[in-house]
């Protein structure tokens, strides 16, 4: 079912009474520390604003390596800031393609979880417009994180409300955009939009965020236009917005190559390989792969499912039939560290290669049924493999 959004013509409210903790959790505003007793300069909506976004290295665990992705950040202008008559404050009015979006929020009337939920919903509503199928919107500004930098900067922005969308700098929209339909609070299906970026070993997943410019200094734990502090037009340094990614392991591909130099006429020749991967001392992948030959030649099996990049992968040829043996120089057990290279890349090295020759025994072999079972051996779940000769199947 397609998600339906209600329509309104403008934002309402004066950005008042926001709890600082809720603001930071929602990723929609930032506030400076400390107050001031001096008279503040009045709001100037002709003044340009600067936004910095913090993109710090992060690790998946305490003992993991902190990494930072190649990330670009797109900004989309959602609403204009309009001066409130007789007040040192502004309201937000939806702009351009967002004019019909339902953002009917009187911010000062909400707090805590309600405020957090509302801003998240509005960020998703805006993202649904930006990434509408077949009609993707161009961003108002884009900035790419420089090598080794932890801040991405947008100078010269007009006051207003912006949608911030981090994404992989080297990825196309088809690769960085993730759409998922979930059940909403009312039971209706609701589309969620997220974006991804990659570091060497991690996948960084981002939710779209709303950022308002300018803001007021915090005096009592709130960021409100009614504060007596100065207006902040430069959200930089301490006031920089957070990109707030969720981290998960990045998965890579593994290829098993098998060459059979000679084939003895008779039953098909089946070769069985066990694949196990460990990461940070934990078994993270265990599986069994088989390749069957009815003639000499080479076959490959590409494994794409959930082996984390950086894992130590051990591939063992656990069965080569009754007629064949490993060729000289071909180890029955091979170990490699999985990289993030794609199978089609020239530098793809996640390959375990095996070569078998006829053992000269004169046997033609017989049909074997290979039975695999994933079971607990008392020390954890492992693959158990048994062979059932022809004629003995149940």
């Amino acid at each position: 079912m397609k998600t339906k959004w209600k329509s309104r013509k403008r934002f309402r409210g004066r950005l008042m009474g926001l709890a600082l903790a809720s603001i930071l959790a929602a990723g929609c505003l930032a506030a400076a520390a400390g107050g001031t007793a001096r008279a503040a300069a009045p709001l100037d909506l002709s003044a340009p604003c600067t936004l910095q976004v913090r993109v710090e290295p992060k690790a998946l665990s305490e003992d993991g390596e902190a990494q930072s992705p190649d990330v670009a950040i797109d900004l989309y202008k959602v609403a204009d800031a309009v001066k409130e008559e007789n007040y040192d404050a502004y309201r937000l009015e939806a702009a351009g393609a967002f004019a019909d979006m339902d953002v009917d929020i009187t911010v000062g009337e909400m707090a805590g979880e309600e405020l957090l939920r509302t801003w998240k919903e509005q960020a998703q509503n805006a993202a649904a417009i930006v990434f509408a199928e077949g009609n993707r919107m161009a961003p108002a500004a884009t900035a790419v994180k420089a090598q080794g930098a932890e801040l991405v900067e947008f100078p010269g922005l007009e006051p207003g409300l912006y949608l911030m969308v981090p994404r992989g700098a080297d990825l196309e929209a088809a690769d960085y955009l993730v759409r998922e339909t979930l059940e909403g609070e009312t039971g209706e299906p609701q589309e969620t939009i997220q974006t991804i970026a990659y570091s060497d070993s991690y996948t960084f997943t981002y939710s779209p965020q709303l950022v308002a410019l300018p803001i007021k200094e915090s005096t009592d734990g709130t960021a409100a236009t009614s504060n007596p502090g100065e207006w902040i037009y430069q959200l930089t340094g301490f006031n920089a917005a957070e990109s707030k990614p969720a981290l998960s392991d990045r998965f890579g591909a593994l290829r098993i190559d098998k060459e059979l130099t000679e084939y003895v006429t008779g039953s098909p020749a089946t070769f069985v390989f066990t694949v196990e991967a460990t990461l940070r001392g934990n078994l993270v992948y265990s599986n069994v792969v088989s390749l069957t030959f009815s003639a000499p030649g080479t076959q490959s099996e590409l494994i794409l499912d959930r082996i984390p990049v950086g894992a130590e992968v051990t591939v063992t040829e656990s069965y080569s039939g009754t007629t064949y043996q490993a060729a000289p120089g071909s180890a029955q057990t091979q170990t490699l560290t999985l990289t993030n290279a794609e199978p089609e890349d020239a530098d793809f090295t996640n390959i375990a290669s095996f070569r078998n020759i006829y053992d000269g025994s004169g046997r033609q072999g017989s049909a074997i049924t290979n039975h695999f079972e994933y079971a607990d051996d008392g020390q954890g779940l492992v693959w158990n493999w048994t062979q059932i000769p022809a004629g003995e199947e149940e």
Side-chain angles (χ1 to χ4, degrees):
M1 179 184 298
K2 183 178 180 182
T3 302
K4 296 182 180 179
W5 310 114
K6 295 186 294 182
S7 295
R8 298 279 182 180
K9 290 297 183 182
R10 54 175 285 185
F11 289 81
R12 293 195 297 131
R14 295 180 183 169
L15 300 181
M16 300 179 66
L18 301 184
L20 180 58
S22 297
I23 295 167
L24 295 178
C28 56
L29 298 175
T36 176
R38 69 184 184 279
L43 175 66
D44 180 6
L45 292 183
S46 66
C49 298
T50 297
L51 171 66
Q52 286 184 339
V53 184
R54 196 175 305 282
V55 186
E56 297 176 327
K58 295 183 180 295
L60 194 57
S61 62
E62 291 185 0
D63 58 346
E65 178 188 0
Q67 298 179 5
S68 184
D70 294 326
V71 67
I73 298 177
D74 295 327
L75 283 188
Y76 300 86
K77 182 75 173 295
V78 175
D80 295 320
V82 179
K83 182 72 168 62
E84 289 277 29
E85 293 295 332
N86 302 319
Y87 292 96
D88 186 33
Y90 66 86
R91 67 179 186 274
L92 293 169
E93 291 189 354
F98 302 95
D100 290 332
M101 193 176 78
D102 179 11
V103 194
D104 188 11
I105 307 172
T106 302
V107 179
E109 297 176 359
M110 291 181 290
E113 289 299 320
E114 182 185 8
L115 177 63
L116 174 62
R117 181 175 62 255
T118 300
W119 279 103
K120 284 184 175 180
E121 287 175 355
Q122 302 317 322
Q124 286 293 327
N125 291 353
I129 295 172
V130 167
F131 295 106
E133 295 285 0
N135 190 31
R136 189 198 161 188
M137 187 185 302
T142 297
V144 179
K145 182 180 74 69
Q147 185 69 32
E150 295 186 8
L151 290 170
V152 177
E153 183 170 309
F154 295 89
L157 296 175
E158 297 178 348
L161 187 70
Y162 290 85
L163 182 71
M164 184 175 75
V165 182
R167 44 116 179 148
D170 54 350
L171 300 178
E172 299 295 330
D175 298 316
Y176 71 71
L177 187 63
V178 179
R179 300 179 187 269
E180 187 176 9
T181 301
L182 304 173
E183 183 177 304
E185 291 186 1
T186 62
E188 289 291 318
Q190 192 171 49
E191 184 181 65
T192 298
I193 292 175
Q194 295 180 309
T195 51
I196 59 176
Y198 296 113
S199 66
D200 287 342
S201 303
Y202 306 135
T203 297
F204 289 70
T205 301
Y206 301 90
S207 294
Q209 300 175 2
L210 290 171
V211 181
L213 301 168
I215 63 168
K216 267 288 186 77
E217 289 182 347
S218 173
T219 59
D220 58 356
T222 64
T225 57
S226 58
N227 282 340
E230 297 285 348
W231 282 100
I232 302 174
Y233 302 89
Q234 313 299 312
L235 271 67
T236 60
F238 179 84
N239 296 312
E242 297 280 351
S243 56
K244 301 182 185 300
L247 266 66
S248 59
D249 283 314
R250 182 178 181 180
F251 300 111
L254 171 70
R255 195 178 82 207
I256 299 175
D257 290 345
K258 177 66 175 181
E259 180 186 2
L260 183 62
T261 62
E262 302 171 79
Y263 177 74
V264 179
T265 303
S267 301
T270 297
F271 301 88
V272 179
F273 306 88
T274 58
V275 182
E276 292 191 337
T278 58
L279 182 66
R280 296 185 283 273
N282 298 313
L283 180 67
V284 293
Y285 184 86
S286 180
N287 204 351
V288 174
V289 174
S290 63
L291 293 171
T292 300
F293 289 76
S294 56
T298 300
Q299 292 188 35
S300 296
E301 179 75 14
L302 188 62
I303 301 174
L304 297 171
D305 56 330
R306 306 190 69 78
I307 304 180
V309 169
E312 184 177 89
V313 182
T314 300
V315 184
T316 302
E317 185 177 44
S318 52
Y319 175 67
S320 57
T322 60
T323 309
Y324 305 96
Q325 65 183 21
S330 178
Q332 284 188 284
T333 298
Q334 300 182 30
T335 300
L336 56 89
T337 300
L338 204 73
T339 71
N340 57 30
E342 298 294 334
E344 61 272 15
D345 292 348
D347 60 348
F348 183 74
T349 58
N350 300 332
I351 303 170
S353 298
F354 299 86
R355 185 168 179 262
N356 283 69
I357 59 175
Y358 173 52
D359 64 6
S361 65
R363 296 187 298 268
Q364 293 187 348
S366 60
I368 294 288
T369 298
N370 294 291
H371 177 72
F372 307 103
E373 182 179 12
Y374 200 44
D376 193 334
D377 67 351
Q379 296 182 343
L381 291 173
V382 296
W383 283 101
N384 291 323
W385 162 60
T386 56
Q387 297 177 323
I388 304 174
E392 295 184 11
E393 299 92 338
E394 294 183 359

